[in-house]
Amino acid sequence: MELDPKYDHYDFPTTAPVKKPGHPGHLTDAQQAQVHQLRMMLEGEGYTKRLDTLTLLRFLRARKFDVNLSKKMFVDCEKWRKSILYAGQPLKIDGKTINLDEQIGQWDKDGSFKKKVSKWYPQYYHKTDNDGRPVYIEQLGKIDIVAMKNEGIEYEHMLTNLAVEYEKMADPRLPACSRKAGQLLETSCTIMDFNGVGFSNARQVFGYIQEASGMSQNYYPERLGRMYLINTNWLFTGVWRMVRPLLDPVTVEKIHVLGGNYQNDLLAQIPAENLPKEFGGTCQCEGGCGLSNDGPWCDPEFTKPAWWEKNDTTIENKETEISTGEGATAAGTAGATVTEVVEAEAPAPAAA
């Protein structure tokens, strides 16, 4: 795979473990040309951020390598990052429009928001699956929008937090997981627990899921590795029957809808010591798995500061030469993300 030294500052593996056309390290000549074409089109319109090869490939795969459609998706994403939308309107907190790039490093620095919201909506990253991917868990049946609003937590806060967590999955979580696994990892393993979802809270649960799914599909393409929907009941089954035909078959293959007998399926993909005990594993983190944030991204051997922790975010838009090689040696600097690229010429690291 050809790498661009202006944008591709990877310090982790850049070859996908599965040999599929369109995936990093397994590109056809035509697909490689489409990467260059997309980058040139975006540069021509003044874009200088997130033009690394891995990011562009995700947008291209999401649009079946249609360069024009991929460009539109990328441009729409960049516009959204400057002003996150909720119900079609710019998201505002305390009267200020949310700029995602400005929020990533500032959001919940002391962890107080996570501690507060975990009482009414547990959602967290916790260790890795058998493939080395970060495991993400949501307990949808515990969502209580009214209680969160009473605590001063509005939809605006929840969606901003969701976007920031997507960014932190991209960097530092996925780069750290890739370093530990010795191969490129671009996706997560997700567990969505529907235990407790019924008529009384279905509307608020599915309303939030709709907003969250839209964010994932439109602005974070190609991030789903596996998804396990556990403790699903007849209510969800009915919704799933209607939704499934609307989804891309590739996406459907990644989603496993399970009822209450899900433990064996989870343990086939996630080591028991990495799976919280309440889901059939043996892990009991001190203070609770939901607040531990345990994983390679907390291990000094594998983690490095994320791109949003760097001070230099300037790039000079000029012609560059293309090189070929594995990510760790492709550029003289380190610290790019898998999805949200380190802007070129950033200093060496001070990654979902």
Side-chain angles (χ1 to χ4, degrees):
M1 183 173 71
E2 294 180 356
L3 297 177
D4 187 324
K6 182 162 63 173
Y7 299 105
D8 296 339
H9 297 172
Y10 307 123
D11 62 349
F12 51 86
T14 58
T15 298
V18 179
K19 294 182 178 180
K20 291 183 179 180
H23 288 256
H26 312 294
L27 304 185
T28 64
D29 290 342
Q31 290 168 341
Q32 188 71 67
Q34 287 164 316
V35 173
H36 299 328
Q37 182 184 0
L38 177 57
R39 181 180 288 125
M40 289 175 63
M41 291 169 67
L42 292 169
E43 285 183 325
E45 295 193 10
Y47 291 97
T48 60
K49 297 180 179 181
R50 290 170 277 277
L51 298 185
D52 66 296
T53 300
L54 297 180
T55 297
L56 296 184
L57 277 173
R58 288 192 304 103
F59 282 87
L60 284 165
R61 291 199 303 274
R63 292 297 178 261
K64 311 301 183 186
F65 276 82
D66 183 311
V67 176
N68 288 321
L69 291 180
S70 301
K71 174 178 172 289
K72 182 182 185 303
M73 187 182 193
F74 184 97
V75 170
D76 288 345
C77 181
E78 287 298 304
K79 291 178 180 177
W80 172 81
R81 294 179 70 89
K82 293 180 180 178
S83 179
I84 298 177
L85 299 180
Y86 168 51
Q89 299 298 318
L91 194 68
K92 294 184 178 181
I93 295 180
D94 298 329
K96 183 180 179 181
T97 301
I98 299 299
N99 181 304
L100 184 54
D101 285 353
E102 295 175 356
Q103 282 290 328
I104 302 169
Q106 301 301 317
W107 183 260
D108 196 28
K109 294 182 74 171
D110 63 358
S112 59
F113 179 86
K114 183 176 181 63
K115 289 180 181 179
K116 183 186 294 186
V117 79
S118 65
K119 294 184 297 183
W120 311 115
Y121 182 14
Q123 48 181 307
Y124 55 96
Y125 286 91
H126 182 266
K127 300 186 177 181
T128 56
D129 69 1
N130 288 331
D131 297 312
R133 294 175 296 206
V135 174
Y136 178 64
I137 300 171
E138 287 196 12
Q139 293 179 269
L140 297 166
K142 294 186 178 181
I143 291 180
D144 191 330
I145 300 298
V146 174
M148 286 193 287
K149 285 187 175 182
N150 291 337
E151 292 271 355
I153 301 172
E154 302 288 345
Y155 256 97
E156 290 86 344
H157 299 96
M158 294 299 298
L159 292 175
T160 300
N161 184 71
L162 180 65
V164 169
E165 284 300 315
Y166 269 125
E167 295 295 317
K168 292 183 177 180
M169 179 184 76
D171 193 8
R173 290 187 177 101
L174 284 171
C177 290
S178 296
R179 294 183 193 104
K180 182 174 182 179
Q183 59 187 15
L184 176 64
L185 298 172
E186 297 186 283
T187 62
S188 65
C189 176
T190 298
I191 300 172
M192 306 286 277
D193 181 13
F194 284 79
N195 186 35
V197 176
F199 276 118
S200 62
N201 60 357
R203 185 173 181 178
Q204 61 181 356
V205 168
F206 289 117
Y208 179 79
I209 288 177
Q210 185 176 18
E211 290 287 341
S213 298
M215 182 185 296
S216 172
Q217 179 176 322
N218 296 326
Y219 309 122
Y220 296 96
E222 297 289 301
R223 282 305 191 199
L224 178 62
R226 284 176 178 264
M227 177 178 284
Y228 295 92
L229 309 180
I230 66 173
N231 288 314
T232 53
N233 56 24
W234 64 268
L235 181 63
F236 175 84
T237 302
V239 174
W240 177 245
R241 286 200 189 102
M242 293 185 291
V243 172
R244 180 170 178 164
L246 304 177
L247 299 177
D248 187 304
V250 176
T251 300
V252 173
E253 288 181 5
K254 299 176 181 179
I255 300 175
H256 305 267
V257 181
L258 309 174
N261 297 318
Y262 57 81
Q263 290 84 358
N264 289 341
D265 292 87
L266 293 188
L267 289 170
Q269 182 62 32
I270 304 169
E273 62 271 21
N274 290 0
L275 185 65
K277 187 175 181 179
E278 64 181 305
F279 300 116
T282 60
C283 186
Q284 300 182 75
C285 294
E286 184 177 353
C289 293
L291 295 175
S292 72
N293 192 37
D294 194 11
W297 49 90
C298 292
D299 189 333
E301 182 180 354
F302 304 111
T303 193
K304 295 184 180 181
W307 71 266
W308 41 267
E309 295 177 290
K310 302 176 187 299
N311 295 319
D312 185 357
T313 58
T314 303
I315 185 170
E316 183 180 356
N317 209 347
K318 61 182 181 180
E319 293 184 2
T320 58
E321 296 180 355
I322 302 298
S323 62
T324 302
E326 190 64 11
T329 60
T333 58
T337 78
V338 176
T339 40
E340 303 303 326
V341 65
V342 163
E343 277 102 32
E345 300 178 10

